Amino acid sequence: MRTSILGLLGVLACAAAVQSHAAPLLALQCGDVFDAKAAKLIGARTIVTAADGRIAQVLPGKATAPDATVVDLSGQTCMPGWIDLHVHLGQESSPKSYEERFRLDDIDFGYRALVYADRTLKAGFTTVRDLGGDVTPHLRDAINQGYVQGPRIYAAGKSIATTGGHGDPRNGINSELAHLLGPPGPADGVINSVDDARQAVRQRYKEGSDVIKITATGGVLSYAKSGDAPQFTVDEVRAVVDTAKDYGYRVAAHAHGKEGIRRAVEGGVTSIEHGTYMDDELFALMKKHGTWYVPTISAGKFVAGKAKIDGYYPEIIRPKAARIGAQIQDTFAQAYKAGVKIGFGTDQGVAPHGQNALEFGYMVEAGMPAATALQAATFNAAEVLGAPDLGQLAPGFRADVVAVPGNPLDDITLTSKVSFVMKDGAIYAGGGSAR
Ligand SMILES: [Zn+2]
């Protein structure tokens, strides 16, 4: 099955490569290689890339291939390019965020996003799932067309909320402005019925989204009182999920509170994001439905820290940030022990872009082996995306490679010292004269 899919993808990629620049043929001589499927190191290998940006061969030890330029990565551990399943490249939170949305235009956020995308790629994250933001689908297109550098992006576009909920774009504005703008509807990502739910998904399709994001409960950084109240009925979730299937979309659900998580899981979403107040009952339900958990410990730690600073967040945000933020790492530890499937995600854009790899350390600190944390950001994350050619270093897969100096299983903090980054066979960091 996989062979035939990859064969087809290979044909499509060859067609695309004719139009774009063919990647140079390279032989990456890696001191060690992480097998993301088996979650273990397998020793020295040479990864040979092809002109279509895919991996042609993985050879034992230090080898070369005809016409390939050798890239010396001895002393370094090569891994599949990391995948962050939860980022927001169109923003980065700060005390100014709440007024900037009134002063700045999308194009201002767009220019900032170029910098965030570049930092993310150079930090070793060759693919991201962007879960909400109007800027990112456009950024994705500019990256794919070669105008700017950044990771491969799966973009949700505008997230789908309910009135007054997390992601209602009219929250926190004065009544005169709210009156002028009118009540937001499905096109703005706000639904209040099953019909609205279908329309909102179809609107995302029209706008070119790759994945659907719903905000199944309240959230921390929105201008609203509750961070955990359920905000969709099960029927509304189901309508989103069923309509999403028509377009080949998967659905990610932001959720903190138990009832909202239960409804999202029963409604059939692919992943629960944050999952702050999950318990044994919900872990069992997620295992039954095959639901993924994307923890975002980074965002939890960041907001809990900033909640201690007077004036950093508006007062309506502060207690939510303190309470919810502090809980996520503990919940992650319990979910891992309970055997819930875990995919790597940070919610970067809450914390600064480019610091995504800190999440690996937080996962290990909470009891997950380093190899399992790396697997969550590679093999597992590719499964969450439904991307059969990402997340492994093997022939036919995309030539996305990240390397660190030394053994990340012994020292997970090496993931913040990335020495080499390749995406689609092109080198973006390290690699010496082959760049
Ligand atoms: Zn988020």
Side-chain angles (χ1 to χ4, degrees), residues 207-238:
E207 292 165 358
S209 295
D210 306 299
V211 58
I212 299 296
K213 155 88 172 288
I214 64 166
T215 46
T217 75
V220 173
L221 296 185
S222 51
Y223 213 92
K225 191 178 170 194
S226 174
D228 53 3
Q231 304 197 324
F232 283 67
T233 65
V234 179
D235 285 345
E236 286 165 347
V237 176
R238 267 199 200 112

Side-chain angles (χ1 to χ4, degrees), residues 160 197-205 212 240 243-244 247 249:
I160 300 175
R198 295 195 189 103
Q199 189 186 339
V201 173
R202 289 169 185 156
Q203 182 72 28
R204 304 289 87 77
Y205 168 69
I212 299 296
V240 168
T243 311
Y247 303 99
Y249 291 155

Side-chain angles (χ1 to χ4, degrees), residues 5-300:
I5 291 169
L6 286 177
L8 176 62
L9 287 169
V11 171
L12 295 172
C14 285
V18 174
Q19 292 153 20
S20 61
H21 300 290
L25 303 185
L26 299 169
L28 313 180
Q29 296 179 338
C30 302
D32 210 336
V33 163
F34 179 68
D35 178 335
K37 193 174 179 186
K40 63 177 189 188
L41 296 175
I42 54 171
R45 293 286 188 279
T46 299
I47 299 165
V48 182
T49 63
D52 61 1
R54 288 174 189 273
I55 295 172
Q57 287 175 290
V58 179
L59 305 168
K62 214 180 228 196
T64 53
D67 302 326
T69 304
V70 168
V71 180
D72 180 9
L73 299 175
S74 52
Q76 300 177 48
T77 300
C78 294
M79 289 161 265
W82 296 323
I83 300 167
D84 190 330
L85 292 169
H86 193 137
V87 304
H88 301 275
L89 285 172
Q91 51 188 277
E92 193 167 272
S93 78
S94 79
K96 289 185 196 158
S97 301
Y98 294 89
E99 49 132 331
E100 281 184 341
R101 54 184 283 236
F102 295 104
R103 284 198 300 107
L104 303 184
D105 291 316
D106 268 358
I107 196 162
D108 298 306
F109 291 108
Y111 280 118
R112 293 178 184 186
L114 301 180
V115 178
Y116 304 151
D118 189 62
R119 284 180 189 156
T120 302
L121 178 61
K122 287 183 178 149
F125 289 82
T126 50
T127 302
V128 298
R129 189 174 62 158
D130 188 286
L131 290 184
D134 299 330
V135 161
T136 313
H138 303 277
L139 175 64
R140 171 201 63 198
D141 293 346
I143 291 169
N144 289 349
Q145 290 160 15
Y147 290 108
V148 294
Q149 289 185 8
R152 179 182 299 100
I153 296 174
Y154 287 71
K158 176 70 189 74
S159 58
I160 300 175
T162 54
T163 292
H166 190 57
D168 178 337
R170 306 279 195 274
N171 283 359
I173 67 178
N174 70 36
S175 54
E176 193 177 1
L177 259 181
H179 179 73
L180 279 172
L181 293 167
D188 313 293
V190 177
I191 68 147
N192 286 289
S193 69
V194 162
D195 283 347
D196 280 1
R198 295 195 189 103
Q199 189 186 339
V201 173
R202 289 169 185 156
Q203 182 72 28
R204 304 289 87 77
Y205 168 69
K206 184 171 170 171
E207 292 165 358
S209 295
D210 306 299
V211 58
I212 299 296
K213 155 88 172 288
I214 64 166
T215 46
T217 75
V220 173
L221 296 185
S222 51
Y223 213 92
K225 191 178 170 194
S226 174
D228 53 3
Q231 304 197 324
F232 283 67
T233 65
V234 179
D235 285 345
E236 286 165 347
V237 176
R238 267 199 200 112
V240 168
V241 170
D242 287 347
T243 311
K245 275 185 195 146
D246 289 344
Y247 303 99
Y249 291 155
R250 297 181 173 200
V251 179
H254 152 108
H256 295 294
K258 280 184 61 173
E259 177 58 18
I261 293 168
R262 186 186 66 73
R263 293 183 200 173
V265 172
E266 286 182 348
V269 303
T270 297
S271 62
I272 295 293
E273 314 291 312
H274 321 303
T276 309
Y277 295 118
M278 293 190 299
D279 59 9
D280 287 342
E281 192 190 334
L282 285 172
F283 296 149
L285 190 70
M286 288 172 75
K287 285 165 75 175
K288 185 180 145 206
H289 285 263
T291 316
W292 289 88
Y293 176 39
V294 178
T296 73
I297 307 166
S298 301

